[in-house]
Amino acid sequence: MKRGKKIIILSHCILNQNCVVKPYAKDQEEFFKFIKSFLLNNYGFIQLPCPELVILGLKRWGHVKDQLEYPNFKLECKKLLYSIVDQIDIYLKNGYEVKGVYGIKGSPSCGVNKTCRGDWEGEASCYKNLEDIINRVHLVSEKGIFMEILEELLKEKNIKLSFYDIDDWSEEID
Ligand code: SF4
């Protein structure tokens, strides 16, 4: 097996848990089975950048989608994605198969079928207690901001890809 001419697009943290908001990082090994199945079938990977790491840093608080839905976050996401979309376009135009995009279920940025929304703003002291903060968050059936923008930019180039969620909250990732 040499050039497989098959590609999948992965959210950054699937290959690098170092960027994940505290305390949710997992052992990288937990993604091994998923990654191995593609390697064994000679797929190559495009690793998306982690928008939250780049825009908000490693010491960020956990966010919900509502907090990221502002123009400059979206603009920065676009800047991060332009060259990725160009790469996808190049591969497709040269007859490569781009199997799809794998995001992270529930992420405000990289969720595909589910993202998290909630009535969060201001200092933690604005809320009664931790439970009050947690109870305001809920999963909704929409994409996170980064995935929405990726889909939008692909559409502008008439590229239609399948999007999948990795459920990294479950014990088994496969
Ligand atoms: S889900 Fe997206 S934003 Fe969140 S850590 Fe992974 S790559 Fe970064």
Side-chain angles (χ1 to χ4, degrees), residues 11-14 16-17 19-21 48-53 60 73 103-104 107-111 146-147 168:
S11 274
H12 189 93
C13 59
I14 296 170
N16 177 23
Q17 283 286 292
C19 65
V20 169
V21 77
L48 295 171
C50 171
E52 293 182 25
L53 174 72
R60 65 191 184 275
F73 189 85
I104 300 291
S107 161
S109 302
C110 300
F146 197 58
M147 288 298 168
D168 75 342

Side-chain angles (χ1 to χ4, degrees), residues 35 40 70 159:
I35 294 164
L40 287 174
Y70 61 92
I159 298 172

Side-chain angles (χ1 to χ4, degrees), residues 3-29:
R3 188 180 294 245
K5 298 190 89 174
K6 296 182 292 189
I7 311 255
I8 57 166
I9 321 291
L10 300 178
S11 274
H12 189 93
C13 59
I14 296 170
L15 297 173
N16 177 23
Q17 283 286 292
N18 291 299
C19 65
V20 169
V21 77
K22 285 184 182 173
Y24 297 121
K26 296 189 153 202
D27 285 341
Q28 202 58 59
E29 193 186 351

